[in-house]
Amino acid sequence: MTAPQATKSAPRKRPAPKIREGLPAPNTPEGELFHYTPFEAAPWTPFGGRKLMEMIRLREIEFVSNGRDNYLTGRQIAALNERYIVKPFSKAERAAA
């Protein structure tokens, strides 16, 4: 008598995130208070959509929640970009003797 073989089911694929068209840029007056999903905000940030979702889940960045979905406003996207800007190093000038 042989043991029954375990069957492998095909991995479930998640549906692609829906991204609306014709979104205003976050740095425009229309986009300043517009609510972007993490995947819609990703092109304007140094992170991908999944990373933004993870940062929201861990409460590492500010976001807007309506109880079910999480969004980023244009202001929050701009603040996120400012937070991760690397400024060039400048040498200190020598003091005159």
Side-chain angles (χ1 to χ4, degrees):
M1 194 164 156
T2 61
Q5 296 293 320
T7 58
K8 274 188 149 179
S9 61
R12 290 177 33 187
K13 289 189 176 183
R14 293 184 180 188
K18 295 180 181 176
I19 297 178
R20 298 170 285 182
E21 294 188 20
L23 298 175
N27 56 354
T28 61
E30 303 87 34
E32 198 172 77
L33 297 176
F34 190 84
H35 288 75
Y36 301 89
T37 65
F39 286 95
E40 292 170 343
W44 288 294
T45 65
F47 305 106
R50 289 189 53 113
K51 178 64 177 178
L52 287 173
M53 287 176 51
E54 180 74 10
M55 292 171 81
I56 289 171
R57 186 181 69 79
L58 296 173
R59 307 288 198 260
E60 293 177 356
I61 59 175
E62 292 183 2
F63 64 97
V64 177
S65 176
N66 70 356
R68 181 178 150 226
D69 298 319
N70 299 317
Y71 298 98
L72 296 164
T73 64
R75 287 182 186 171
Q76 291 168 334
I77 293 169
L80 181 66
N81 287 335
E82 285 291 321
R83 180 176 168 189
Y84 287 96
I85 287 178
V86 178
K87 296 183 179 172
F89 177 74
S90 61
K91 294 182 181 179
E93 294 182 23
R94 289 186 176 205

